[in-house]
Coordinates of all heavy atoms in Angstrom, one line a residue:
M1 N 53.9 24.1 -43.2 CA 54.4 24.3 -41.9 C 54.1 23.1 -41.1 O 53.0 22.5 -41.1 CB 53.9 25.5 -41.2 CG 54.3 25.7 -39.8 SD 53.6 27.2 -39.0 CE 54.6 28.4 -39.9
L2 N 55.1 22.7 -40.3 CA 55.0 21.5 -39.4 C 54.0 21.8 -38.3 O 54.0 22.9 -37.8 CB 56.3 21.1 -38.9 CG 56.4 19.9 -37.9 CD1 56.2 18.7 -38.7 CD2 57.8 19.9 -37.3
Q3 N 53.1 20.9 -38.0 CA 52.3 21.0 -36.8 C 52.6 19.9 -35.8 O 52.9 18.8 -36.2 CB 50.8 20.8 -37.2 CG 50.2 22.1 -37.9 CD 48.7 22.2 -37.5 OE1 48.1 21.2 -37.4 NE2 48.2 23.4 -37.5
L4 N 52.6 20.3 -34.6 CA 52.8 19.4 -33.5 C 51.6 19.4 -32.6 O 50.9 20.5 -32.5 CB 54.0 19.8 -32.6 CG 55.4 19.7 -33.3 CD1 56.4 20.5 -32.5 CD2 55.8 18.2 -33.4
T5 N 51.2 18.3 -32.0 CA 50.1 18.2 -31.1 C 50.6 18.1 -29.7 O 51.1 17.1 -29.3 CB 49.2 16.9 -31.4 OG1 48.8 17.0 -32.8 CG2 48.0 16.9 -30.6
C6 N 50.4 19.3 -29.0 CA 50.8 19.3 -27.6 C 49.8 18.4 -26.9 O 48.6 18.5 -27.1 CB 50.7 20.7 -27.1 SG 50.9 20.9 -25.3
P7 N 50.3 17.5 -26.0 CA 49.4 16.6 -25.3 C 48.3 17.3 -24.4 O 47.3 16.8 -24.1 CB 50.3 15.7 -24.4 CG 51.6 15.9 -25.0 CD 51.7 17.2 -25.7
W8 N 48.6 18.6 -24.1 CA 47.7 19.4 -23.2 C 46.8 20.4 -24.0 O 45.7 20.7 -23.6 CB 48.5 20.1 -22.1 CG 49.1 19.1 -21.1 CD1 48.5 18.6 -20.0 CD2 50.4 18.6 -21.2 NE1 49.3 17.8 -19.4 CE2 50.5 17.7 -20.0 CE3 51.5 18.7 -22.0 CZ2 51.7 17.0 -19.8 CZ3 52.6 18.0 -21.7 CH2 52.7 17.2 -20.6
C9 N 47.4 20.9 -25.1 CA 46.7 22.0 -25.8 C 46.1 21.6 -27.1 O 45.3 22.4 -27.7 CB 47.7 23.2 -26.0 SG 48.4 23.8 -24.5
G10 N 46.6 20.5 -27.7 CA 46.1 20.1 -29.0 C 47.1 20.6 -30.1 O 48.2 21.0 -29.9
P11 N 46.6 20.5 -31.4 CA 47.5 20.8 -32.5 C 47.8 22.3 -32.5 O 46.9 23.1 -32.4 CB 46.7 20.4 -33.7 CG 45.5 19.7 -33.2 CD 45.4 20.0 -31.8
R12 N 49.1 22.6 -32.8 CA 49.6 24.0 -33.0 C 50.7 24.0 -34.0 O 51.3 23.1 -34.3 CB 50.1 24.5 -31.6 CG 49.1 24.5 -30.5 CD 48.1 25.6 -30.7 NE 47.3 25.9 -29.5 CZ 46.2 25.2 -29.1 NH1 45.8 24.2 -29.8 NH2 45.6 25.5 -28.0
D13 N 51.0 25.3 -34.5 CA 52.1 25.4 -35.5 C 53.4 25.2 -34.8 O 53.6 25.5 -33.6 CB 52.0 26.8 -36.1 CG 50.8 27.0 -37.0 OD1 50.3 25.9 -37.5 OD2 50.4 28.1 -37.3
E14 N 54.4 24.8 -35.6 CA 55.7 24.6 -35.1 C 56.4 25.8 -34.4 O 57.2 25.7 -33.5 CB 56.6 24.1 -36.3 CG 58.0 23.8 -35.9 CD 58.9 23.5 -37.1 OE1 58.4 23.7 -38.3 OE2 60.0 23.2 -37.0
T15 N 55.9 27.0 -34.8 CA 56.5 28.2 -34.3 C 56.2 28.4 -32.8 O 56.9 29.2 -32.2 CB 56.0 29.4 -35.1 OG1 54.6 29.4 -35.0 CG2 56.5 29.4 -36.5
E16 N 55.3 27.7 -32.2 CA 55.0 27.8 -30.8 C 55.9 26.9 -30.0 O 55.8 27.0 -28.8 CB 53.5 27.4 -30.6 CG 52.5 28.4 -31.1 CD 51.1 28.1 -30.7 OE1 50.9 27.4 -29.7 OE2 50.2 28.7 -31.2
F17 N 56.8 26.1 -30.6 CA 57.5 25.1 -29.9 C 59.0 25.3 -30.0 O 59.5 25.9 -31.0 CB 57.2 23.7 -30.4 CG 55.7 23.3 -30.3 CD1 54.8 23.6 -31.3 CD2 55.3 22.7 -29.2 CE1 53.5 23.2 -31.1 CE2 53.9 22.3 -29.0 CZ 53.0 22.6 -30.0
H18 N 59.8 24.7 -29.1 CA 61.2 24.6 -29.3 C 61.6 23.2 -29.1 O 61.1 22.5 -28.2 CB 61.9 25.5 -28.2 CG 61.9 27.0 -28.6 ND1 61.0 27.9 -28.1 CD2 62.7 27.6 -29.4 CE1 61.2 29.1 -28.6 NE2 62.2 28.9 -29.5
H19 N 62.6 22.8 -29.8 CA 63.2 21.5 -29.8 C 64.1 21.3 -28.6 O 64.8 22.2 -28.3 CB 63.9 21.2 -31.2 CG 64.4 19.8 -31.3 ND1 65.8 19.5 -31.1 CD2 63.8 18.7 -31.7 CE1 65.9 18.2 -31.3 NE2 64.8 17.7 -31.7
G20 N 64.1 20.1 -28.0 CA 64.9 19.9 -26.8 C 65.9 18.8 -27.0 O 66.4 18.3 -25.9
G21 N 66.0 18.2 -28.2 CA 67.0 17.1 -28.3 C 66.4 15.7 -28.1 O 65.1 15.6 -28.0
Q22 N 67.2 14.7 -28.1 CA 66.8 13.4 -28.0 C 66.0 13.1 -26.7 O 66.4 13.5 -25.6 CB 68.0 12.4 -28.1 CG 67.6 10.9 -28.1 CD 68.8 10.1 -28.3 OE1 69.9 10.5 -28.6 NE2 68.6 8.8 -28.0
A23 N 65.0 12.3 -26.7 CA 64.2 12.0 -25.6 C 64.7 10.6 -25.0 O 65.4 9.9 -25.7 CB 62.7 11.8 -25.9
H24 N 64.4 10.3 -23.8 CA 64.7 9.0 -23.2 C 66.2 8.8 -23.0 O 66.6 7.7 -23.1 CB 64.1 7.9 -23.9 CG 62.6 8.0 -24.2 ND1 61.7 7.9 -23.2 CD2 61.9 8.3 -25.3 CE1 60.5 8.1 -23.7 NE2 60.5 8.3 -25.0
V25 N 66.9 9.8 -22.8 CA 68.4 9.7 -22.4 C 68.5 9.5 -20.9 O 68.2 10.4 -20.2 CB 69.2 11.0 -22.9 CG1 70.6 10.8 -22.5 CG2 69.0 11.2 -24.4
A26 N 69.0 8.3 -20.6 CA 69.1 8.0 -19.2 C 70.2 8.7 -18.5 O 71.3 8.7 -19.0 CB 69.2 6.5 -19.0
R27 N 69.9 9.3 -17.3 CA 71.0 9.9 -16.6 C 71.9 8.9 -15.9 O 71.4 7.8 -15.6 CB 70.4 10.8 -15.4 CG 69.6 12.0 -16.0 CD 69.0 12.7 -14.8 NE 68.2 13.8 -15.2 CZ 68.6 15.1 -15.3 NH1 69.7 15.4 -14.9 NH2 67.7 16.0 -15.7
P28 N 73.1 9.2 -15.7 CA 74.0 8.2 -15.1 C 73.5 7.8 -13.7 O 73.1 8.7 -12.9 CB 75.4 8.9 -15.0 CG 75.3 10.0 -16.0 CD 73.8 10.4 -16.1
A29 N 73.5 6.5 -13.3 CA 73.1 6.2 -12.0 C 74.1 6.6 -10.9 O 73.7 7.0 -9.8 CB 73.0 4.6 -12.0
D30 N 75.4 6.6 -11.3 CA 76.4 7.1 -10.3 C 77.3 8.0 -11.0 O 78.4 7.7 -11.5 CB 77.2 5.8 -9.8 CG 78.2 6.2 -8.7 OD1 78.2 7.4 -8.2 OD2 79.0 5.3 -8.3
P31 N 76.9 9.3 -11.0 CA 77.7 10.3 -11.8 C 79.1 10.5 -11.3 O 80.0 10.7 -12.1 CB 77.0 11.6 -11.5 CG 75.6 11.2 -11.1 CD 75.7 9.9 -10.4
A32 N 79.4 10.2 -10.0 CA 80.8 10.4 -9.6 C 81.7 9.3 -10.1 O 82.9 9.4 -10.1 CB 80.8 10.4 -8.0
A33 N 81.1 8.2 -10.6 CA 82.0 7.1 -11.0 C 82.3 7.2 -12.5 O 83.1 6.4 -13.0 CB 81.2 5.8 -10.8
L34 N 81.8 8.2 -13.2 CA 82.1 8.4 -14.6 C 83.4 9.0 -14.9 O 83.8 9.9 -14.2 CB 81.0 9.2 -15.3 CG 79.6 8.7 -15.3 CD1 78.7 9.6 -16.1 CD2 79.5 7.3 -15.8
D35 N 84.1 8.5 -15.9 CA 85.4 9.1 -16.3 C 85.0 10.1 -17.4 O 83.8 10.3 -17.8 CB 86.4 8.1 -16.8 CG 85.9 7.2 -18.0 OD1 84.9 7.6 -18.6 OD2 86.5 6.2 -18.3
D36 N 86.0 10.8 -17.9 CA 85.7 11.9 -18.9 C 85.1 11.4 -20.2 O 84.2 12.0 -20.8 CB 87.1 12.6 -19.3 CG 87.6 13.4 -18.1 OD1 86.8 13.7 -17.2 OD2 88.8 13.8 -18.2
A37 N 85.5 10.2 -20.6 CA 84.9 9.7 -21.9 C 83.4 9.3 -21.7 O 82.6 9.5 -22.5 CB 85.7 8.4 -22.3
A38 N 83.1 8.8 -20.5 CA 81.7 8.4 -20.2 C 80.9 9.7 -20.1 O 79.7 9.7 -20.6 CB 81.6 7.6 -19.0
W39 N 81.4 10.8 -19.5 CA 80.7 12.0 -19.4 C 80.5 12.6 -20.8 O 79.4 13.1 -21.1 CB 81.5 13.0 -18.5 CG 81.0 13.0 -17.1 CD1 81.8 12.6 -16.0 CD2 79.7 13.3 -16.5 NE1 81.1 12.7 -14.9 CE2 79.8 13.1 -15.1 CE3 78.5 13.7 -17.1 CZ2 78.7 13.3 -14.3 CZ3 77.5 14.0 -16.2 CH2 77.6 13.7 -14.9
A40 N 81.5 12.6 -21.6 CA 81.4 13.1 -23.0 C 80.3 12.3 -23.7 O 79.5 13.0 -24.4 CB 82.7 13.0 -23.7
A41 N 80.3 11.0 -23.6 CA 79.3 10.2 -24.2 C 77.9 10.6 -23.8 O 76.9 10.7 -24.6 CB 79.5 8.7 -24.0
Y42 N 77.7 10.8 -22.5 CA 76.4 11.2 -21.9 C 76.0 12.5 -22.4 O 74.8 12.8 -22.8 CB 76.4 11.1 -20.4 CG 75.2 11.7 -19.8 CD1 73.9 11.1 -19.9 CD2 75.3 12.8 -19.0 CE1 72.8 11.6 -19.3 CE2 74.2 13.4 -18.4 CZ 73.0 12.8 -18.7 OH 71.9 13.4 -18.0
L43 N 76.9 13.5 -22.3 CA 76.5 14.9 -22.6 C 76.4 15.3 -24.1 O 75.6 16.0 -24.5 CB 77.6 15.8 -21.9 CG 77.6 15.8 -20.5 CD1 78.8 16.6 -20.0 CD2 76.3 16.4 -19.9
F44 N 77.3 14.6 -24.9 CA 77.4 15.2 -26.3 C 77.0 14.2 -27.4 O 76.7 14.6 -28.5 CB 78.8 15.6 -26.5 CG 79.3 16.6 -25.6 CD1 80.3 16.4 -24.7 CD2 78.7 17.9 -25.5 CE1 80.7 17.3 -23.7 CE2 79.1 18.9 -24.6 CZ 80.1 18.6 -23.7
F45 N 77.0 12.9 -27.1 CA 76.7 12.0 -28.2 C 75.3 11.5 -28.2 O 74.8 11.0 -27.2 CB 77.6 10.8 -28.2 CG 79.1 11.1 -28.4 CD1 80.0 11.4 -27.4 CD2 79.5 11.3 -29.7 CE1 81.2 11.8 -27.6 CE2 80.8 11.6 -30.0 CZ 81.7 11.9 -28.9
R46 N 74.6 11.7 -29.3 CA 73.2 11.3 -29.4 C 73.0 10.4 -30.7 O 73.8 10.5 -31.6 CB 72.3 12.5 -29.5 CG 72.3 13.4 -28.3 CD 71.7 12.7 -27.1 NE 71.7 13.4 -25.9 CZ 72.5 13.2 -24.9 NH1 73.4 12.3 -24.9 NH2 72.4 14.0 -23.8
D47 N 71.9 9.7 -30.7 CA 71.6 8.9 -31.8 C 71.2 9.8 -33.0 O 70.8 11.0 -32.8 CB 70.4 8.0 -31.5 CG 70.7 7.0 -30.4 OD1 71.9 6.7 -30.2 OD2 69.7 6.5 -29.8
N48 N 71.4 9.2 -34.2 CA 71.1 10.0 -35.4 C 70.5 9.1 -36.4 O 71.1 8.9 -37.5 CB 72.4 10.7 -36.0 CG 72.0 11.7 -37.0 OD1 70.9 12.1 -37.2 ND2 73.0 11.9 -37.9
P49 N 69.3 8.5 -36.1 CA 68.8 7.5 -37.0 C 68.1 8.1 -38.3 O 67.6 9.2 -38.2 CB 67.7 6.8 -36.2 CG 67.2 7.9 -35.3 CD 68.5 8.7 -35.0
A50 N 68.0 7.3 -39.3 CA 67.2 7.7 -40.5 C 65.9 6.9 -40.3 O 65.8 5.8 -40.6 CB 67.9 7.3 -41.8
G51 N 64.9 7.7 -39.8 CA 63.6 7.0 -39.5 C 63.0 7.6 -38.2 O 63.4 8.7 -37.8
P52 N 62.2 6.9 -37.5 CA 61.5 7.3 -36.3 C 62.5 7.6 -35.2 O 63.5 6.9 -34.9 CB 60.6 6.2 -35.9 CG 60.4 5.4 -37.1 CD 61.6 5.5 -37.9
F53 N 62.4 8.8 -34.5 CA 63.3 9.3 -33.6 C 62.5 10.0 -32.5 O 61.7 10.9 -32.8 CB 64.3 10.3 -34.2 CG 65.4 10.7 -33.3 CD1 66.2 9.8 -32.7 CD2 65.6 12.1 -33.2 CE1 67.2 10.3 -31.8 CE2 66.6 12.6 -32.3 CZ 67.4 11.7 -31.7
A54 N 62.6 9.6 -31.2 CA 62.0 10.3 -30.1 C 62.7 11.5 -29.7 O 63.9 11.5 -29.4 CB 61.8 9.3 -29.0
E55 N 62.0 12.6 -29.6 CA 62.6 13.9 -29.3 C 61.8 14.6 -28.2 O 60.7 14.3 -28.0 CB 62.5 14.9 -30.5 CG 63.2 14.3 -31.7 CD 62.9 15.1 -33.0 OE1 61.8 15.6 -33.2 OE2 63.8 15.2 -33.8
R56 N 62.5 15.6 -27.5 CA 61.9 16.4 -26.5 C 61.4 17.7 -27.2 O 62.2 18.3 -27.9 CB 62.8 16.6 -25.3 CG 63.2 15.3 -24.6 CD 64.2 15.6 -23.5 NE 63.4 16.3 -22.4 CZ 63.9 17.4 -21.7 NH1 65.0 17.8 -22.0 NH2 63.1 17.9 -20.8
W57 N 60.3 18.2 -26.8 CA 59.8 19.5 -27.3 C 59.2 20.2 -26.2 O 58.6 19.6 -25.2 CB 58.8 19.3 -28.4 CG 59.4 18.9 -29.8 CD1 59.6 17.6 -30.1 CD2 59.7 19.7 -30.9 NE1 60.2 17.5 -31.4 CE2 60.2 18.8 -31.9 CE3 59.6 21.0 -31.1 CZ2 60.6 19.3 -33.1 CZ3 60.0 21.5 -32.3 CH2 60.5 20.7 -33.3
V58 N 59.2 21.5 -26.2 CA 58.5 22.3 -25.2 C 57.6 23.3 -25.9 O 57.9 23.9 -26.9 CB 59.5 23.1 -24.3 CG1 60.4 24.1 -25.1 CG2 58.8 23.8 -23.2
H59 N 56.4 23.4 -25.3 CA 55.3 24.3 -25.9 C 55.6 25.7 -25.3 O 54.9 26.1 -24.4 CB 54.0 23.8 -25.6 CG 52.9 24.4 -26.4 ND1 51.6 24.2 -26.2 CD2 53.0 25.4 -27.4 CE1 50.9 24.9 -27.0 NE2 51.7 25.7 -27.8
S60 N 56.6 26.4 -25.8 CA 57.1 27.6 -25.2 C 56.2 28.7 -25.3 O 56.2 29.7 -24.5 CB 58.5 27.9 -25.7 OG 58.5 27.9 -27.1
L61 N 55.4 28.8 -26.4 CA 54.4 29.9 -26.5 C 53.0 29.5 -26.2 O 52.0 30.1 -26.5 CB 54.4 30.5 -28.0 CG 55.8 31.1 -28.4 CD1 55.7 31.6 -29.8 CD2 56.2 32.2 -27.4
G62 N 52.9 28.4 -25.4 CA 51.6 27.9 -25.0 C 51.6 27.6 -23.5 O 51.9 28.4 -22.7
C63 N 51.4 26.3 -23.2 CA 51.4 25.8 -21.8 C 52.8 25.8 -21.1 O 52.9 25.6 -19.9 CB 50.7 24.5 -21.7 SG 51.5 23.2 -22.5
R64 N 53.8 25.9 -21.9 CA 55.3 25.8 -21.4 C 55.6 24.5 -20.8 O 56.5 24.4 -20.0 CB 55.5 27.0 -20.5 CG 55.2 28.3 -21.1 CD 55.5 29.4 -20.2 NE 56.9 29.7 -20.2 CZ 57.5 30.6 -19.5 NH1 56.8 31.4 -18.7 NH2 58.8 30.9 -19.6
R65 N 54.9 23.4 -21.2 CA 55.2 22.1 -20.7 C 56.0 21.4 -21.8 O 55.9 21.5 -22.9 CB 53.9 21.3 -20.4 CG 53.2 21.9 -19.3 CD 51.9 21.0 -19.1 NE 51.2 21.4 -17.9 CZ 50.0 20.9 -17.5 NH1 49.5 20.0 -18.3 NH2 49.4 21.3 -16.5
W66 N 56.9 20.4 -21.2 CA 57.7 19.6 -22.1 C 56.9 18.3 -22.4 O 56.0 17.8 -21.6 CB 59.0 19.1 -21.3 CG 60.0 20.2 -21.2 CD1 60.1 21.2 -20.3 CD2 61.0 20.5 -22.2 NE1 61.1 22.0 -20.5 CE2 61.7 21.6 -21.7 CE3 61.4 20.0 -23.4 CZ2 62.8 22.2 -22.4 CZ3 62.4 20.5 -24.1 CH2 63.1 21.6 -23.6
F67 N 57.1 17.8 -23.6 CA 56.5 16.5 -24.0 C 57.5 15.8 -25.0 O 58.5 16.4 -25.3 CB 55.1 16.7 -24.6 CG 55.2 17.6 -25.9 CD1 55.2 16.9 -27.1 CD2 55.1 19.0 -25.8 CE1 55.2 17.7 -28.3 CE2 55.1 19.7 -27.0 CZ 55.1 19.1 -28.2
H68 N 57.1 14.6 -25.4 CA 57.9 13.9 -26.3 C 57.2 13.7 -27.6 O 55.9 13.7 -27.7 CB 58.2 12.5 -25.8 CG 59.1 12.5 -24.6 ND1 59.3 11.4 -23.8 CD2 59.9 13.4 -24.1 CE1 60.1 11.7 -22.8 NE2 60.5 12.9 -22.9
A69 N 57.9 13.7 -28.7 CA 57.4 13.5 -30.0 C 58.2 12.4 -30.7 O 59.4 12.4 -30.6 CB 57.3 14.8 -30.8
V70 N 57.6 11.5 -31.5 CA 58.3 10.6 -32.4 C 58.2 11.2 -33.8 O 57.1 11.4 -34.3 CB 57.8 9.2 -32.3 CG1 58.6 8.3 -33.3 CG2 57.9 8.7 -30.9
R71 N 59.3 11.6 -34.4 CA 59.3 12.2 -35.7 C 60.2 11.4 -36.6 O 61.3 10.9 -36.2 CB 59.9 13.7 -35.6 CG 59.9 14.4 -36.9 CD 60.4 15.8 -36.7 NE 61.8 15.9 -36.2 CZ 62.9 15.8 -36.9 NH1 62.8 15.7 -38.2 NH2 64.1 15.8 -36.4
D72 N 59.7 11.2 -37.8 CA 60.4 10.4 -38.8 C 61.5 11.4 -39.4 O 61.1 12.4 -40.0 CB 59.5 9.9 -39.9 CG 60.2 8.9 -40.8 OD1 61.4 9.2 -41.3 OD2 59.6 7.9 -41.2
T73 N 62.8 11.2 -39.3 CA 63.8 12.1 -39.7 C 64.0 12.0 -41.2 O 64.6 12.9 -41.8 CB 65.1 11.8 -39.0 OG1 65.5 10.4 -39.4 CG2 65.0 11.9 -37.5
V74 N 63.4 11.1 -41.9 CA 63.4 11.0 -43.4 C 62.3 11.8 -44.0 O 62.5 12.6 -44.9 CB 63.4 9.6 -43.8 CG1 63.4 9.5 -45.4 CG2 64.6 8.8 -43.3
T75 N 61.1 11.6 -43.5 CA 59.9 12.3 -44.1 C 59.5 13.6 -43.3 O 58.7 14.3 -43.8 CB 58.7 11.4 -44.1 OG1 58.3 11.1 -42.8 CG2 59.0 10.1 -44.9
Y76 N 60.1 13.8 -42.2 CA 59.7 14.9 -41.3 C 58.3 14.8 -40.7 O 57.9 15.7 -40.1 CB 59.9 16.2 -42.0 CG 60.4 17.4 -41.1 CD1 61.6 17.3 -40.5 CD2 59.6 18.5 -40.9 CE1 62.1 18.3 -39.7 CE2 60.1 19.5 -40.1 CZ 61.3 19.4 -39.5 OH 61.7 20.4 -38.7
A77 N 57.7 13.7 -40.9 CA 56.3 13.5 -40.4 C 56.4 13.2 -38.9 O 57.2 12.5 -38.4 CB 55.7 12.3 -41.0
V78 N 55.5 13.9 -38.1 CA 55.4 13.7 -36.7 C 54.4 12.4 -36.5 O 53.2 12.5 -36.8 CB 54.8 14.9 -35.9 CG1 54.7 14.6 -34.4 CG2 55.8 16.1 -36.1
L79 N 55.0 11.4 -36.0 CA 54.2 10.1 -35.9 C 53.4 10.0 -34.6 O 52.3 9.4 -34.6 CB 55.1 8.9 -36.0 CG 56.1 8.9 -37.2 CD1 57.1 7.8 -37.1 CD2 55.3 8.8 -38.4
A80 N 53.8 10.7 -33.5 CA 53.1 10.6 -32.2 C 53.7 11.7 -31.3 O 54.8 12.1 -31.4 CB 53.3 9.2 -31.6
T81 N 52.8 12.2 -30.4 CA 53.3 13.0 -29.3 C 52.7 12.4 -28.0 O 51.6 11.8 -28.1 CB 52.9 14.5 -29.5 OG1 51.5 14.6 -29.6 CG2 53.5 15.1 -30.7
Y82 N 53.4 12.6 -27.0 CA 53.0 12.0 -25.7 C 53.6 12.7 -24.5 O 54.7 13.3 -24.7 CB 53.2 10.5 -25.7 CG 54.6 10.1 -26.0 CD1 55.5 9.7 -25.0 CD2 55.1 10.0 -27.3 CE1 56.8 9.3 -25.2 CE2 56.4 9.7 -27.6 CZ 57.3 9.3 -26.5 OH 58.6 8.9 -26.8
R83 N 53.0 12.5 -23.4 CA 53.5 13.2 -22.2 C 54.8 12.5 -21.7 O 55.0 11.3 -22.0 CB 52.4 13.1 -21.1 CG 51.1 13.8 -21.3 CD 50.1 13.4 -20.4 NE 50.5 13.5 -19.0 CZ 49.7 14.0 -18.1 NH1 48.5 14.5 -18.4 NH2 50.1 14.1 -16.8
P84 N 55.7 13.2 -21.0 CA 57.0 12.6 -20.7 C 56.8 11.5 -19.7 O 57.7 10.6 -19.6 CB 57.6 13.8 -20.0 CG 57.0 15.0 -20.5 CD 55.6 14.6 -20.8
D85 N 55.7 11.4 -19.0 CA 55.5 10.3 -18.0 C 54.9 9.0 -18.7 O 54.7 8.0 -18.0 CB 54.8 10.7 -16.8 CG 53.4 11.2 -17.2 OD1 53.1 11.5 -18.4 OD2 52.6 11.5 -16.3
A86 N 54.6 9.1 -20.0 CA 54.0 8.0 -20.7 C 55.1 7.2 -21.4 O 56.1 7.8 -21.8 CB 53.0 8.5 -21.7
P87 N 54.9 5.9 -21.6 CA 55.9 5.2 -22.4 C 55.9 5.6 -23.9 O 54.9 6.1 -24.4 CB 55.5 3.7 -22.2 CG 54.0 3.9 -21.9 CD 53.8 5.1 -21.2
R88 N 57.0 5.3 -24.5 CA 57.1 5.6 -26.0 C 56.2 4.6 -26.7 O 56.3 3.4 -26.5 CB 58.6 5.4 -26.5 CG 58.7 5.6 -28.0 CD 60.1 5.4 -28.4 NE 60.1 5.4 -29.9 CZ 61.1 5.5 -30.6 NH1 62.3 5.7 -30.1 NH2 61.0 5.5 -31.9
P89 N 55.3 5.2 -27.6 CA 54.4 4.3 -28.3 C 55.2 3.4 -29.3 O 56.2 3.9 -29.9 CB 53.5 5.2 -29.0 CG 54.2 6.5 -29.1 CD 55.1 6.6 -27.9
G90 N 54.8 2.2 -29.5 CA 55.4 1.4 -30.5 C 54.8 1.7 -31.9 O 53.6 1.8 -32.1
L91 N 55.7 2.1 -32.8 CA 55.2 2.5 -34.1 C 55.9 1.7 -35.2 O 57.2 1.5 -35.1 CB 55.5 4.0 -34.3 CG 54.9 5.0 -33.3 CD1 55.5 6.3 -33.4 CD2 53.4 5.0 -33.5
A92 N 55.2 1.3 -36.2 CA 55.8 0.8 -37.4 C 55.6 1.7 -38.5 O 54.5 2.2 -38.8 CB 55.2 -0.6 -37.7
V93 N 56.6 2.0 -39.2 CA 56.6 3.0 -40.3 C 56.8 2.3 -41.6 O 57.9 1.7 -41.8 CB 57.6 4.1 -40.1 CG1 57.6 5.1 -41.3 CG2 57.3 4.8 -38.8
A94 N 55.9 2.4 -42.5 CA 56.1 1.8 -43.9 C 56.8 2.8 -44.7 O 56.4 4.0 -44.8 CB 54.7 1.4 -44.5
R95 N 57.8 2.4 -45.5 CA 58.6 3.3 -46.3 C 58.1 3.1 -47.8 O 57.5 2.1 -48.1 CB 60.1 2.8 -46.3 CG 60.6 2.9 -44.9 CD 61.4 4.2 -44.9 NE 61.8 4.5 -43.5 CZ 61.7 5.6 -43.0 NH1 61.3 6.7 -43.6 NH2 62.1 5.8 -41.7
P96 N 58.4 4.1 -48.6 CA 58.0 4.0 -50.0 C 58.6 2.7 -50.7 O 58.1 2.2 -51.6 CB 58.5 5.3 -50.6 CG 58.5 6.2 -49.5 CD 58.8 5.4 -48.3
D97 N 59.8 2.3 -50.2 CA 60.5 1.2 -50.8 C 60.0 -0.1 -50.3 O 60.4 -1.2 -50.6 CB 62.0 1.3 -50.6 CG 62.4 1.3 -49.1 OD1 61.5 1.1 -48.3 OD2 63.6 1.5 -48.8
G98 N 58.9 -0.1 -49.4 CA 58.3 -1.3 -48.9 C 58.9 -1.8 -47.6 O 58.4 -2.7 -46.9
E99 N 60.0 -1.2 -47.2 CA 60.6 -1.6 -45.9 C 59.8 -1.0 -44.7 O 59.3 0.1 -44.8 CB 62.1 -1.1 -45.9 CG 62.9 -1.5 -44.6 CD 64.2 -1.0 -44.7 OE1 64.8 -0.6 -45.8 OE2 64.9 -0.9 -43.6
T100 N 59.7 -1.8 -43.7 CA 59.1 -1.3 -42.5 C 60.0 -1.2 -41.4 O 60.8 -2.1 -41.1 CB 57.9 -2.3 -42.1 OG1 57.0 -2.4 -43.1 CG2 57.2 -1.8 -40.9
R101 N 60.0 0.0 -40.7 CA 61.0 0.2 -39.5 C 60.2 0.4 -38.3 O 59.2 0.9 -38.2 CB 61.8 1.4 -39.8 CG 62.8 1.2 -41.0 CD 63.6 2.4 -41.1 NE 64.4 2.2 -42.3 CZ 65.3 3.1 -42.8 NH1 65.5 4.2 -42.1 NH2 66.0 2.8 -43.9
Ligands
LIG1 ZN1 50.7 23.1 -24.7

């Protein structure tokens, strides 16, 4: 079972959390100026990398706070968790093929 480390509560089983999608999605600076295509891009299109990916999670069966996690989408390993007001940690991930991302 996957374990996530809540920045406030510590390590817990995945069943205590809910996924909230991609982290660090910037809100439009001037929403009234967006056309339909720009709104669609903001609302529906997200990155889908093979490798480290910053996601939002909520500790719904614990402190009920939101936080960010960097999870490797290839290995499913959680590389870091951090508070939403903290910057994304710089991470280098070594792959079995020797490539570093
Ligand atoms: Zn918590």
Side-chain angles (χ1 to χ4, degrees):
M1 176 178 287
L2 182 68
Q3 278 210 334
L4 292 163
T5 300
C6 173
W8 293 275
C9 305
R12 300 287 192 274
D13 289 338
E14 178 187 9
T15 56
E16 294 190 14
F17 300 90
H18 282 97
H19 185 261
Q22 182 176 349
H24 306 292
V25 177
R27 293 177 185 260
D30 184 8
L34 297 185
D35 61 12
D36 289 346
W39 269 114
Y42 168 68
L43 294 173
F44 302 115
F45 292 96
R46 296 292 179 257
D47 297 337
N48 188 23
F53 184 57
E55 304 170 323
R56 299 178 71 224
W57 287 83
V58 61
H59 193 184
S60 50
L61 297 182
C63 64
R64 304 180 80 182
R65 291 180 175 176
W66 286 90
F67 63 94
H68 293 166
V70 177
R71 183 177 60 85
D72 190 316
T73 59
V74 175
T75 64
Y76 214 62
V78 178
L79 306 173
T81 58
Y82 52 102
R83 296 167 53 136
D85 58 350
R88 178 183 169 162
L91 301 169
V93 178
R95 300 262 172 221
D97 60 5
E99 185 179 339
T100 301
R101 293 183 187 182

